[in-house]
Structures are given as C-alpha cells and as structure tokens.
Amino acid sequence: MAEHRTMQRNALLDAARVLLTEGGTEALTFPALAERTGLARSSVYEYFRSRAAVVEELCAVDFPVWAAEVQAAMEAAATPEEKIEAYVRRQLALVGDRRHRAVVAISAGELDAGAREKIRAAHGGLIAMVVEALGELGHDEPRLTAMLLQGIVDAAVRRIELGAAEDPARITEAAVRMALQGTRP
C-alpha cells in the first residue's frame, strides 16, 4: 500500500512539473492534476492540502538534484575561474530540463511564506557553492559577489526561457563572459 501511495505521489509531482512547464503556476490546479493522473480530485487532496504544498514538495525533491548537478560540475573544475564558469554553464544547461523549468515557474508564482522561504533557502545553498571559489580568487565580499553573479545567471535563465531572439548558446556565452570578467577581484 505504501508503495502504491509513493507511486501516486510521484505521478502527481510529474503531472505538476508538466503543468508548470506548459502553463506556469496558473496551470497548476487540483482539477488539472486529477485529470493528468487519472485520480479523483478528492484523492489529490489526500496527498497535498494546497498548491503551495505541491510547490514545496517539488522544491524539496527537485532543487537538491539540480543543485547536485551544478556542484558536480564545479567539483570537476580545477581552478576558481573554471568553477565559476561551470557554475554558470551548468545552470544554463539545465534550463530545458523539466525539473528546472518547474522551479523557475514556481519562483515566479505567488506562493505562501513557507514555500517562498524554502525556495530562498535552496537558492542560498546554490549561491554558497560559488562563494568558496570567489574567496579563492581573493574577493573581499565573496557572498555579495556570489549573489550578484546569481543575478547574471537568473537574467540569462529568463532570457532563454522567454525564447529571446538570441540563440541560447549566445546567451550562455555572454553570461559566462560577464561572470568571468565581473568576478575578477
């Protein structure tokens, strides 16, 4: 029985990812989740009390996987500059990934304070990864620089997500160039 519940919960999370990717937070409704999974709407409420609860669960499940991929790319790099480049490139490479698209859609949505705090904490962990590399470069304020660097990444993510006139590869190269030039002490 527990295995069946886990499968249904995972199916609901998969459906939520698809809905967020296709239509943003407005598309994430309990009737839509029920329709996508073949469950009764009342069954969806057995797993999640609200949209915010679905969002919190997605963040709890997906963000660590995404962050681990960024961390692995950084650990494979030899120098602080290469680590910074890997930090930017890996995040932008994940833009097409459904888990990432869902997290981006979630970040833009209207969420309750608990969900927003979980997203902030997850982003804080992502930023912490690059603080060390910036410290190795000799930055006086590596945390501030890391937060500004994430701002470049976030802007590039939005540009790619919007389907901007530029090719995603050009956006990535511009973001990497800005990151590397902007993080020189």
Side-chain angles (χ1 to χ4, degrees), residues 75-127:
E75 287 172 355
T79 67
E81 292 87 357
E82 289 171 354
K83 288 179 188 307
I84 291 164
E85 182 172 349
Y87 178 81
V88 173
R89 283 192 189 281
R90 192 67 201 130
Q91 285 189 70
L92 295 180
L94 289 168
V95 170
D97 183 291
R98 235 180 20 176
R99 290 164 309 168
H100 177 266
R101 293 181 73 105
V103 170
V104 168
I106 289 163
S107 300
E110 297 173 20
L111 303 173
D112 67 23
R116 277 197 306 274
E117 186 49 45
K118 284 190 172 161
I119 291 170
R120 254 196 302 280
H123 270 281
L126 198 56
I127 288 167

Side-chain angles (χ1 to χ4, degrees), residues 17-123:
R17 287 181 192 99
V18 171
L19 291 167
L20 285 165
T21 300
E22 291 175 355
T25 50
E26 301 80 32
L28 181 60
T29 66
F30 280 27
L33 283 171
E35 185 180 325
R36 289 261 176 176
T37 57
L39 294 171
R41 193 184 319 181
S42 59
S43 295
V44 177
Y45 283 99
E46 289 177 31
Y47 292 91
F48 300 104
R49 69 190 183 287
S50 65
R51 276 185 352 156
V54 176
V55 165
E56 287 181 44
E57 182 80 13
L58 281 174
C59 286
V61 171
D62 292 348
F63 206 97
V65 174
W66 178 34
E69 291 183 32
V70 174
Q71 185 171 12
M74 290 179 71
E75 287 172 355
T79 67
E81 292 87 357
E82 289 171 354
K83 288 179 188 307
I84 291 164
E85 182 172 349
Y87 178 81
V88 173
R89 283 192 189 281
R90 192 67 201 130
Q91 285 189 70
L92 295 180
L94 289 168
V95 170
D97 183 291
R98 235 180 20 176
R99 290 164 309 168
H100 177 266
R101 293 181 73 105
V103 170
V104 168
I106 289 163
S107 300
E110 297 173 20
L111 303 173
D112 67 23
R116 277 197 306 274
E117 186 49 45
K118 284 190 172 161
I119 291 170
R120 254 196 302 280
H123 270 281

